[in-house]
Amino acid sequence: MSDAGIPDARAAWKREILATLSLAWPLAAANLLQMMVWAIDVMFIARLGTIPLAAASLSFALFGTLMWSLTGLTGIVSALIAAALGRGTGVVREVRRATRMALWLAVGSAALLAIAMHRGEAFMLMTGQDPEISARAGEFLAVLGWAAIPMLVCNVLRSFVSALDRPVIATMVVGLQVGFAALSNYALVFGHFGFPALGMIGSAIASSVTAWLGVLAYVALIQADRRLRAFHIFGRWWSPDWRYFRRLAVLGAPVTLTIIAEGGLFNSAAFMIGRIGADQLAAHTLALQLASFAFQVPFGISQAATIRVGYYYGAGDRDGIARAGWSAIVVGTGFMLTTATAMLVAPLTLLSLYIDPRAPQYAATVGYAVLYLRVAAAFQLFDGFQAVAAGSLRGLQDTRAPMWIALAGFWIPGLATMLWLGFRTPLGGLGVWIGLLVALVTVSAGLLGRWLLRERFGLMPAAERPPKILPATG
């Protein structure tokens, strides 16, 4: 490279990092706000008593994991939209058809989930839960399940606006939902503003109403934006395009299984530690809650990476693909380094967000939580890295191999280490957390190898086209 080319290359990297940050921060903010929506439901149900809280916690664990997995099935539409924008030919038609079929897939898969949730009580009993708690959870899930349809529709519309350089709309919509979730829970759980007091069922209804409000907000904001309105994604919604439907299903199904593999392992950790002791389970819940909040930022960066890499993939710009992927990986890992440092140097401050760490009754829980946070500080880096690397590979429309990497990494060395150290050594819950770390390290290594060898695996575009620069988010 000539001396004149070095400043140009540096400028390109700087633009890419800034563009990634501009796209990622609204998505990360929306992820954090979405967690607040779920937290609000739990806060209101907690006031109903121990049994409703236990039933709701189990219900959210099951429903939340399945919902998260289906967002992977439908959210892959952002990669197809970005690639269409990168190609620059037939953009309106391609984007409209991809989004329409993603909406079809969202409604269909969500309806199946809603029907499956009517078997919630049987599932809880099968896992050995208390009969009374299982019954309450079954009633709750039967109503909550129907919130899946508007939630997944929101996910598709969020992917659409984000891929088209309007991620702030997603932040605005979820911010609106946070306030409405609190208001509707207040009205329906305890019976205010003339509504009957419906208890847990009221919270499930509030979740559905809040999700449908999100759909209406997205529709209104899309129609109000000239650029978004031009794609007419709500026109001829009944007209199928089976080529796009199949493409979405083929690309999205492995993402769904990848999420289930990760979510299932982390949920199984709670059941394992629950068999070890109540204090360790409480500590696990607190430490994992902190780690989950921190994870929402690299998850947002991962979503941005899918869009940025997908755009350059469609444009046939190999240098752009490399810059977009590595920029996202550096930004995501850098953030997680910050949160890891906080977990090491200020664990009590972080725990004080939930409990008083100096209260005598929490002494044992705090002691275990501090140990778990030390392990969490390590796996923060690998968790963030694997999330962003997976997002970058999705931009290359590569989902099947990452699925096998996740299944193998999480459920072979990860699960084996959790079981061995958790139940065959004195480490107990700490051993389970070390197993989670082993799983994340393994998956991160596999995804890194896949990304580094993307050319050898045939993931890159076949022909180089004149490179274009995706504008930074405004």
Side-chain angles (χ1 to χ4, degrees):
M1 181 183 291
S2 65
D3 291 342
I6 294 175
D8 290 341
R10 289 176 177 171
W13 279 98
K14 182 178 179 180
R15 284 196 303 270
E16 188 58 46
I17 290 174
L18 291 175
T20 298
L21 288 170
S22 296
L23 180 57
W25 80 257
L27 295 174
N31 293 338
L32 291 167
L33 288 170
Q34 188 63 60
M35 286 196 70
M36 288 185 63
V37 173
W38 291 102
I40 286 170
D41 292 339
V42 174
M43 289 176 189
F44 277 93
I45 293 173
R47 296 175 179 270
L48 298 174
T50 302
I51 290 179
L53 177 59
S57 298
L58 291 172
S59 298
F60 284 131
L62 175 62
F63 180 75
T65 299
L66 294 176
M67 267 298 304
W68 181 28
S69 69
L70 291 180
T71 62
L73 176 67
T74 56
I76 196 67
V77 70
S78 63
L80 299 187
I81 293 173
L85 293 172
R87 285 191 297 271
T89 56
V91 173
V92 171
R93 177 173 57 87
E94 296 292 316
V95 170
R96 181 172 62 245
R97 291 184 177 185
T99 305
R100 183 194 306 152
M101 289 301 95
L103 289 170
W104 277 39
L105 194 59
V107 173
S109 59
L112 292 176
L113 175 59
I115 293 169
M117 289 299 95
H118 284 269
R119 300 294 298 167
E121 180 179 0
F123 177 83
M124 297 298 170
L125 291 172
M126 184 178 65
T127 60
Q129 305 304 314
D130 177 82
E132 183 180 0
I133 293 175
S134 298
R136 298 291 293 273
E139 295 172 356
F140 185 67
L141 285 169
V143 178
L144 180 65
W146 293 103
I149 294 177
M151 286 178 178
L152 282 182
V153 169
C154 281
N155 182 62
V156 173
L157 298 179
R158 170 181 174 167
S159 300
F160 168 74
V161 300
S162 299
L164 287 167
D165 202 29
R166 299 291 190 272
V168 174
I169 288 179
T171 312
M172 293 168 58
V173 171
V174 184
L176 173 66
Q177 289 178 306
V178 170
F180 191 80
L183 190 65
S184 56
N185 270 276
Y186 179 74
L188 296 175
V189 174
F190 299 114
H192 294 285
F193 308 126
F195 291 94
L198 300 176
M200 283 183 66
I201 301 302
S203 183
I205 295 172
S207 294
S208 288
V209 174
T210 300
W212 280 114
L213 174 68
V215 173
L216 294 176
Y218 270 117
V219 172
L221 291 170
I222 288 170
Q223 293 302 106
D225 186 286
R226 180 186 302 176
R227 184 187 185 195
L228 300 180
R229 187 172 64 245
F231 288 90
H232 304 290
I233 62 170
F234 304 116
R236 294 179 58 82
W237 55 266
W238 60 86
S239 178
D241 187 314
W242 298 117
R243 179 176 66 90
Y244 262 116
F245 189 89
R246 285 192 297 270
R247 186 64 177 158
L248 286 164
V250 168
L251 289 176
V255 180
T256 293
L257 291 175
T258 298
I259 294 172
I260 290 176
E262 181 176 0
L265 187 74
F266 276 80
N267 282 337
S268 68
F271 284 94
M272 291 182 196
I273 295 177
R275 295 174 64 90
I276 295 172
D279 288 327
Q280 296 203 44
L281 178 59
H284 168 82
T285 302
L286 292 173
L288 191 60
Q289 189 69 219
L290 289 168
S292 296
F293 265 103
F295 177 74
Q296 299 312 307
V297 175
F299 183 42
I301 297 169
S302 169
Q303 294 167 317
T306 298
I307 295 169
R308 303 286 306 175
V309 172
Y311 177 86
Y312 290 117
Y313 176 80
D317 183 355
R318 299 184 178 190
D319 289 339
I321 288 170
R323 281 195 305 271
W326 284 115
S327 294
I329 289 170
V330 169
V331 170
T333 307
F335 175 82
M336 295 308 264
L337 181 61
T338 302
T339 60
T341 301
M343 289 178 178
L344 286 175
V345 303
L348 297 182
T349 302
L350 295 175
L351 291 171
S352 67
L353 296 172
Y354 297 94
I355 61 173
D356 179 2
R358 295 175 180 80
Q361 66 267 31
Y362 294 127
T365 296
V366 169
Y368 287 122
V370 170
L371 286 176
Y372 298 164
L373 284 174
R374 289 175 183 169
V375 181
F379 83 48
Q380 286 287 288
L381 300 177
F382 296 101
D383 201 11
F385 180 90
Q386 65 90 17
V388 180
S392 299
L393 290 169
R394 287 167 197 162
L396 297 176
Q397 301 184 19
D398 179 39
T399 59
R400 186 172 299 176
M403 173 195 72
W404 290 115
I405 291 171
L407 289 171
F410 285 125
W411 287 97
I412 298 178
L415 181 62
T417 305
M418 290 164 67
L419 291 172
W420 178 264
L421 295 181
F423 296 98
R424 296 297 184 90
T425 75
L427 292 174
L430 180 60
V432 173
W433 272 70
I434 292 173
L436 293 174
L437 174 60
V438 169
L440 290 167
V441 171
T442 304
V443 173
S444 295
L447 293 176
L448 173 62
R450 185 79 177 170
W451 173 252
L452 289 172
L453 299 176
R454 58 191 181 276
E455 187 83 47
R456 182 178 300 178
F457 287 121
L459 303 180
M460 299 294 280
E464 188 90 17
R465 291 187 285 278
K468 296 184 278 186
I469 297 175
L470 181 62
T473 301

